[in-house]
Amino acid sequence: MADREGDFPLVEPGLWIERIGAKAFPAGLPALFLDRDGTINIDTGYPDDPDAMVLRDGIAPAIEAANRRGIPVILITNQSGIARGYFGWDAFARVNQRVLELLAEKNAAVDMVLACAYHEAGSGPLAMADHPMRKPNPGMLLEAGRRLGLDLKRSLIVGDKPADMEA
Ligand SMILES: [Mg+2]
């Protein structure tokens, strides 16, 4: 997998940061942060098959509403399945692309994607306990906030696990 990392927007071995689209946002906006698995799509458990992705009811209209109001929508996802060796960044890329396509079919757009692969149960460079980028730690939110000049205090996070809310 390591030889393919150059194909992907990895800022380090376990951290994917991808700006989607070219929409410009003025500084100081709140953002809508969304977990992916179990929040945007039905959680199939370490999803690695793009064809298995199905959106959860009501999520596309919520994203579309944020899009219409000019609120940045940011997907932040823990992907320990990569550290655990269940799949690689290439499978993550295919699944994530499919989720974004399903949203686009419903006129809903995500503006930035951040994914953290670090986990203590991993091996190699991804084996890391309590990485600052892994939810419940707030690293991905802080990094997105820095990149887009967001007002994090007024931002919202929606997820399906306590770790999402803690972040
Ligand atoms: Mg989730």
Side-chain angles (χ1 to χ4, degrees):
M1 189 199 80
D3 58 331
R4 302 206 42 191
E5 280 178 3
D7 301 344
F8 304 126
L10 296 175
V11 299
E12 51 182 278
L15 183 63
W16 174 297
I17 302 181
E18 182 182 17
R19 182 76 159 86
I20 312 279
K23 216 181 295 167
F25 297 104
L29 290 176
L32 174 60
F33 287 96
L34 295 170
D35 169 52
R36 196 189 75 185
D37 304 327
T39 302
I40 295 178
N41 53 277
I42 293 172
D43 194 353
T44 56
Y46 302 107
D48 63 353
D49 177 7
D51 295 332
M53 292 299 99
V54 175
L55 294 182
R56 292 195 61 221
D57 286 341
I59 194 67
I63 293 174
E64 188 192 8
N67 293 154
R68 263 189 277 111
R69 286 164 179 75
I71 295 171
V73 177
I74 302 170
L75 186 163
I76 49 165
T77 177
N78 285 346
Q79 292 292 322
S80 75
I82 297 172
R84 297 171 198 267
Y86 297 163
F87 54 88
W89 282 117
D90 49 349
F92 168 81
R94 286 192 296 273
V95 166
N96 206 60
Q97 186 56 38
R98 180 62 184 147
V99 170
L100 297 182
E101 281 168 12
L102 290 169
L103 289 173
E105 287 169 11
K106 304 212 165 208
N107 203 30
V110 166
D111 300 298
M112 187 177 273
V113 173
L114 297 92
C116 175
Y118 297 110
H119 193 271
E120 59 197 351
S123 57
L126 300 181
M128 216 158 330
D130 199 32
H131 193 280
M133 291 291 170
R134 179 173 165 82
K135 295 177 285 181
N137 294 326
M140 288 194 284
L141 288 81
L142 296 174
E143 183 60 25
R146 259 193 302 277
R147 290 184 178 228
L148 294 177
L150 302 172
D151 182 350
L152 291 176
K153 286 204 170 77
R154 290 195 299 136
S155 296
L156 212 72
I157 181 164
V158 180
D160 66 322
K161 295 206 172 124
D164 297 315
M165 310 311 157
E166 285 169 38

